[in-house]
Structures are given as structure tokens and as C-alpha cells.
Amino acid sequence: MTKQGRSYFGLAGVIVLAMTTELNEQVSSQSLPDILGGLGLSHDAGTWFNSLYLSAEIFGMSLAPWLALTFVVRRFAICVALTASLSASLIPFTDNLTLLYGLRIVEGLAGGFAIPLVLMIALRVLAPPIRLYGLAAYSLTATFFPNLSTALAGLWTDLVDWRFVFWQAVPFGSLAISLLWYGLPAEKPNYRRFSYFDWKGAFLILFGFGSFSTMLQQGDRFDWFNSPAICVLALVALICLPLLVYNEWNQHTPLFRFQLLGRRNFAYGASTLLIFLVVSLASSTLPASFLQEVAGYRPEQIYLVTLEIACIQLIMLPLMALVLNSKAVDSRIVSLLGMMLILMACAGDSFMTVGWNRNEFYLWQIFMGAGEAMIVMPLLMMSTNSLVPAEGPFAAAMVNTPRAVAQAIGIWLLQLIHRWRGGLHSNRLTDRIGVDRYRTYQANALPLQKPAPLLPDGTPRSADSLVTFKSQLAHQTTVLELSDAYMIIAAITVCLMVSVLLLPQRTFPPRLMFIKKQS
């Protein structure tokens, strides 16, 4: 087989590696209650289980391009695959909390190392005429794998064994190693790069982004700035992040090349991709939260809603690559249409009631899935079209690190909505019950087979009638809270629609730009 043909196997290996690490994170996050029960951990310990992973992932995404160039991509990617598989497979065997957190940090680092490699290899391997298909492959890590994870979470926790949440990394990692070994060329590492490694930048990234992401994830649990720990984390982030920008701007060999943000389309694409990942919560996290908290579904019953999004991505991403390769198609218009679809879906989902189940989500998930593909592909094309190959590693770091930070911002946003809007709705409903207690208490519940909780003399009809009524009150509060969340995401989407009309410039596909350079 030719060298070019083998390089495609290498690209496939990097995609499988990214899938392995992405599923490590997403499946374990959605199976967290089962994992905590299996390991004998409390809820508070479980919050650090995900928080440490994400903080380590941010740090790994920042360093991955530099390390890949130093150790060469083949050797580095194989080491990452081994690390991800080994650390994940050992987690079910330990009940020591310190060791468990250490393995989770290593697993998060491996996840951060893996994702940027997809963009690096795609830009290196694929010629301009087919580069958009490589960007479609990279888009799978943001849209396809997270939505596929619910199906695997249901499979392992409900039908097999919770330990396979982690052991699934072994076969996937082995396949990735085989493809990487065969497809990527063996090159000589350049260890001399360590002599001018940006140590200051690395430490500022570690403390700055680590403190920032931890603050966002743990702030609600610690009651925000009433906690000394959160105040310290906020102060560290406030000091380190501006120093990071200053250091990288004046560094000869930086980890982040902030000068790239001077290019209008790159700045727009990188920043909007962060916001897009927050908006994508409407297609996965919000429906899953409703079905789990209100309808009482397990992951095995939820997965069809998110799997619909995943299947749509397999069709829409290559289709978007084909469409955007045409000179007549303006990527800004495609992105605007995708935002309109997501806006329609958010508006439709905001009308949810306690009587909904997964059937009511199917239609709106079609709009969500199509809209996500129509947004992410133009954003990646805008971000990468102005780059030369030597800038690929810097672009990978600049695009992927905000993407990891977006996950922490999404967690913070949902916690904020829960605290403000959920608390508001709970207080209003409870107050209404007190003001109009007889009519409210003695009314039938939505399931008509359940009688009123109180008898005419005000005593409970049965031993559990008030408990059932309290559960119904909690369900109604959750519905109103999630409805507000959909409307907030819809408002963010409207802001994105305005920005796409004003900020980016017209971008032509890489195929046409390559032909123009050749001529």
C-alpha cells in the first residue's frame, strides 16, 4: 500500500483513539450513580470524580500539540492510547480514594492529549480537495461520540456490568494502537525542543485553567463566594489567566499563539465553537435530565433520544462537507440555517409538561441533530482555512482548549439555572399550595388513577399520599426549570445568529483556495 493510503489508516487510528477517550469521559459521567455505588463512594466524592477529569483534560489539550511534535505523532499517540486504556481498566479494581483520583487524572490527561491529534492529523494527511471530510471526522468528537455514550451507558449499567464502563477502553484502545502503528510513519523524536519548552506557560495553564474549571464545577456545591476555597480558586484564576496571555504573546515558542486571534475568521470560529458546545446541551443533557428526573427513565430507556442525534451526525457531517465544498455555498448562510433549526427545537422543547416521555422529543431532536452539523462544520472551516500547515499545532491547541473549558461553563450554567430558576419555581409553587391549599391538595394528579392526596377532613388519604404529592411538586419544578433552560439556550442561539451576520467574512472551501494557489 502507498504511503498516502497508510496515512488514512493512521487518521482512522487517531479517530478511534479520540472515540475511546471521549467515551471514557461521557459514559462514566452518565453512569456515575452506578459507579459510585459499585465503588462505595459518596456523592461529594463523585463530584470530584468528574471535576478532576475535566481539569486534567484541559491541561492535556493545551500541551498535546507541542508534545506530539516533540515525541512525534506516532509514538505519542500510541503512548496516549496505552495510558487511556490502562488507567481506565484499573479504576474498577481500587477502593482507595487517593489512587482512584490519581487514575482519573491520568485518564483525563490522556483524553486531553487525544482530541487535538485528530485535527492535527486531518490537516496534515488530507489534501485541500478533501480536507473538509477530515474536519467532518474531527466533528464526530464534538457531536457524535457524546450522543453515542448514552447508549453504551445503558448497555453496560443496565444489561451487563458497570465495570465495563471502564473496560470498554481496552478493545477500542487496542484497535487504535494497531491502526496507529500501521498507518503513521516512524519518525525521529526531537528532544532538543525541551530546551526551549514554555515552562511558565505550562504552569500558568495548570493553575489558571485548573482553578477556573474547578471553581465552575464545584462552586454551587460550596455556595460560591461564601466558601474560602472558591475565593482562593477565583483569585488564582484571575491572576494566572491574564499572565498566561501576556506570557504567550511575548514567548518565542508559545503553547498558544494568541496572534492567530488577529485573524477575524479564526477568532470568530474558535470563540463561537465554545458557545456552540454550551448550546449543544439542549440536545443531550437537558432531554436526559428530564427523562431521568421526571419520567424515571434509566440510561437503557434514554439512549434512543440521544442516539437519534448520533445517527443524524453520520449522515449530516459528510453531507455538509460535500455542500461546503461548493463555491456557490456561503458557509455563513449554512451556519445561520443550522442556528435557526436549533432555535426551533429549543422553542418546541420549552413547551414540555410532566406528561412528556421520550416520544415527544423525537421530532425536535431531528432539528437539533441537523442544526448541530450545519453549525460545527462551517465554524471549523472558518477557523482552519487561513492557516498554513506550520500553524496547525497552534490552531489545535487554540480550538480544543476552549472546547474543554466549554464543558465546565455548561455545568456552571445548568447549576445557575437550577439555583435561580429552580428555586424561584419551587418557592412559587409551594406558596401557591399554601394560599390555595384545599383545591391544590385535593385535586387529582396528572395520572387520573391516583386519587386526591387528602380526604375532605384534611387528613392524608394514605400513608404515602403526601410523599407522592411532594414528588409531583418536585417533578413540576424540574419541568419549569428545564423549560427555562431551553429558553435561555434559545436566547444564546439568537445572539449567535446576529453574530454570524456581522462578524465573519466569506470563506471559500479549501479545494478552491488550493486551485487558486496552484494557478
Side-chain angles (χ1 to χ4, degrees):
M1 181 177 289
T2 64
K3 182 179 179 180
Q4 183 66 25
R6 293 183 64 172
S7 65
Y8 293 146
F9 281 92
L11 177 60
V14 175
I15 293 173
V16 174
L17 172 59
M19 179 187 72
T20 303
T21 58
E22 191 74 21
L23 293 179
N24 278 353
E25 175 190 8
Q26 297 291 335
V27 177
S28 61
S29 177
Q30 296 178 35
S31 307
L32 189 59
D34 297 88
I35 295 171
L36 297 181
L39 295 174
L41 299 179
S42 65
H43 172 266
D44 288 352
T47 61
W48 287 105
F49 189 76
N50 284 336
S51 179
L52 291 172
Y53 183 101
L54 184 55
S55 297
E57 185 181 41
I58 294 173
F59 185 64
M61 285 184 172
S62 305
L63 298 185
W66 191 92
L67 293 173
L69 293 178
T70 302
F71 292 102
V72 305
V73 176
R74 183 183 190 228
R75 183 177 300 185
F76 179 68
I78 291 174
C79 289
V80 170
L82 286 170
T83 303
S85 302
L86 185 62
S87 59
S89 61
L90 291 177
I91 287 178
F93 293 106
T94 180
D95 56 359
N96 183 284
L97 195 59
T98 303
L99 180 58
L100 180 67
Y101 286 162
L103 290 172
R104 191 63 172 168
I105 290 173
V106 172
E107 191 183 18
L109 277 173
F113 289 151
I115 302 297
L117 294 178
V118 181
L119 187 58
M120 286 182 61
I121 299 300
L123 294 176
R124 177 187 297 186
V125 167
L126 299 177
I130 58 173
R131 182 170 294 171
L132 280 176
Y133 294 97
L135 297 180
Y138 171 77
S139 301
L140 293 174
T141 64
T143 57
F144 175 72
F145 299 147
N147 288 291
L148 178 65
S149 61
T150 307
L152 290 176
L155 174 65
W156 302 138
T157 58
D158 291 346
L159 300 178
V160 185
D161 189 282
W162 68 269
R163 296 173 182 85
F164 282 87
V165 168
F166 302 100
W167 292 344
Q168 68 178 0
V170 176
F172 288 139
S174 301
L175 175 60
I177 291 171
S178 302
L179 292 170
L180 291 167
W181 185 270
Y182 177 76
L184 295 180
E187 300 171 329
K188 187 177 180 180
N190 185 10
Y191 296 126
R192 288 180 299 177
R193 287 171 55 86
F194 276 105
S195 62
Y196 45 86
F197 177 64
D198 182 13
W199 295 101
K200 291 181 183 178
F203 281 110
L204 289 172
I205 291 169
L206 176 62
F207 290 106
F209 280 119
S211 299
F212 182 65
S213 65
T214 303
M215 179 189 70
L216 291 178
Q217 295 175 88
Q218 298 290 339
D220 195 68
R221 189 169 70 89
F222 281 91
D223 197 19
W224 286 101
F225 297 107
N226 293 318
S227 166
I230 296 299
C231 292
V232 171
L233 290 173
L235 181 62
V236 172
L238 188 63
I239 293 173
C240 290
L241 292 179
L243 286 177
L244 173 65
V245 176
Y246 176 80
N247 179 78
E248 298 302 287
W249 191 275
N250 297 284
Q251 185 74 21
H252 182 262
T253 54
L255 298 172
F256 292 146
R257 182 163 287 174
F258 286 107
Q259 288 84 348
L260 292 176
L261 296 177
R263 302 176 189 177
R264 186 170 173 179
N265 277 17
F266 181 85
Y268 174 81
S271 59
T272 307
L273 185 61
L274 183 153
I275 302 173
F276 162 75
L277 291 173
V278 176
V279 170
S280 65
L281 294 172
S283 67
S284 55
T285 303
L286 297 187
S289 296
F290 174 88
L291 294 174
Q292 184 177 7
E293 297 177 24
V294 178
Y297 281 24
R298 289 281 299 168
E300 180 194 1
Q301 301 164 304
I302 296 173
Y303 82 92
L304 288 175
V305 173
T306 55
L307 188 63
E308 181 181 4
I309 298 284
C311 294
I312 291 173
Q313 301 308 305
L314 291 179
I315 300 172
M316 287 296 298
L317 289 174
L319 179 61
M320 285 299 101
L322 180 64
V323 169
L324 291 172
N325 251 333
S326 171
K327 182 180 180 180
V329 176
D330 190 336
S331 60
R332 297 172 297 181
I333 302 301
V334 174
S335 184
L336 180 64
L337 292 175
M339 294 171 188
M340 291 176 64
L341 290 176
I342 288 185
L343 180 62
M344 291 170 57
C346 288
D349 282 328
S350 68
F351 289 98
M352 64 171 56
T353 67
V354 291
W356 276 34
N357 56 39
R358 68 187 180 197
N359 295 331
E360 279 73 24
F361 286 98
Y362 287 146
L363 173 63
W364 306 117
Q365 291 294 85
I366 294 175
F367 292 109
M368 284 284 187
E372 287 183 2
M374 295 173 70
I375 294 173
V376 70
M377 284 296 295
L379 288 179
L380 290 173
M381 191 174 84
M382 293 176 193
S383 301
T384 59
N385 262 21
S386 61
L387 300 174
V388 298
E391 295 171 331
F394 298 106
M398 294 285 289
V399 169
N400 285 282
T401 303
R403 168 188 162 174
V405 174
Q407 297 183 50
I409 293 175
I411 294 171
W412 163 78
L413 179 62
L414 293 181
Q415 290 176 347
L416 185 66
I417 294 171
H418 174 71
R419 173 176 284 237
W420 284 3
R421 301 301 298 176
L424 175 66
H425 291 308
S426 178
N427 291 337
R428 284 180 171 176
L429 290 173
T430 305
D431 182 65
R432 188 62 183 170
I433 290 171
V435 172
D436 202 7
R437 56 189 180 278
Y438 292 110
R439 185 174 66 181
T440 306
Y441 264 59
Q442 295 180 9
N444 286 324
L446 182 69
L448 296 180
Q449 68 271 20
K450 291 185 178 180
L454 296 181
L455 295 170
D457 61 359
T459 59
R461 183 175 294 275
S462 62
D464 62 344
S465 59
L466 289 181
V467 175
T468 302
F469 185 76
K470 179 183 177 182
S471 175
Q472 293 166 355
L473 176 65
H475 289 171
Q476 185 61 52
T477 301
T478 301
V479 168
L480 293 173
E481 173 191 327
L482 293 176
S483 179
D484 288 346
Y486 275 113
M487 294 307 296
I488 290 171
I489 292 178
I492 296 173
T493 305
V494 171
C495 295
L496 289 179
M497 293 171 65
V498 174
S499 70
V500 78
L501 293 174
L502 300 178
L503 297 179
Q505 297 172 325
R506 174 77 184 270
T507 302
F508 293 99
R511 174 180 62 85
L512 297 177
M513 296 178 67
F514 176 75
I515 294 174
K516 183 178 179 181
K517 289 180 181 180
Q518 291 295 101
S519 61

Short mmCIF file of all heavy atoms in Angstrom, two decimals, residues 29 47 293 348 381 505 510:
data_model
loop_
_atom_site.label_atom_id
_atom_site.label_comp_id
_atom_site.label_asym_id
_atom_site.label_seq_id
_atom_site.Cartn_x
_atom_site.Cartn_y
_atom_site.Cartn_z
N SER A 29 -19.48 9.61 33.08
CA SER A 29 -20.25 10.70 33.65
C SER A 29 -21.73 10.34 33.74
O SER A 29 -22.39 10.63 34.75
CB SER A 29 -20.06 11.95 32.79
OG SER A 29 -20.85 13.02 33.27
N THR A 47 -18.48 14.07 42.82
CA THR A 47 -18.34 15.33 42.09
C THR A 47 -16.88 15.57 41.70
O THR A 47 -16.60 16.11 40.63
CB THR A 47 -18.85 16.51 42.93
OG1 THR A 47 -18.08 16.61 44.13
CG2 THR A 47 -20.32 16.32 43.29
N GLU A 293 -35.18 12.49 35.67
CA GLU A 293 -35.71 13.06 36.90
C GLU A 293 -37.24 13.07 36.94
O GLU A 293 -37.83 12.95 38.01
CB GLU A 293 -35.17 14.47 37.09
CG GLU A 293 -33.66 14.53 37.25
CD GLU A 293 -33.15 15.96 37.37
OE1 GLU A 293 -33.96 16.84 37.77
OE2 GLU A 293 -31.97 16.20 37.06
N GLY A 348 -39.66 24.42 20.65
CA GLY A 348 -40.58 23.29 20.78
C GLY A 348 -40.43 22.55 22.09
O GLY A 348 -41.41 22.20 22.76
N MET A 381 -14.40 25.20 9.27
CA MET A 381 -13.86 25.68 8.00
C MET A 381 -13.38 27.12 8.14
O MET A 381 -12.31 27.49 7.64
CB MET A 381 -14.91 25.57 6.90
CG MET A 381 -14.34 25.79 5.50
SD MET A 381 -15.55 25.49 4.19
CE MET A 381 -16.38 27.07 4.16
N GLN A 505 -16.09 36.81 7.78
CA GLN A 505 -16.02 37.11 6.36
C GLN A 505 -16.32 35.86 5.55
O GLN A 505 -16.26 34.74 6.05
CB GLN A 505 -14.63 37.64 6.01
CG GLN A 505 -14.27 38.94 6.71
CD GLN A 505 -12.83 39.34 6.50
OE1 GLN A 505 -11.95 38.48 6.43
NE2 GLN A 505 -12.58 40.63 6.38
N PRO A 510 -11.44 24.82 1.03
CA PRO A 510 -10.01 24.60 0.80
C PRO A 510 -9.69 24.13 -0.62
O PRO A 510 -8.64 24.46 -1.16
CB PRO A 510 -9.66 23.51 1.82
CG PRO A 510 -10.71 23.60 2.86
CD PRO A 510 -11.95 24.06 2.17
#
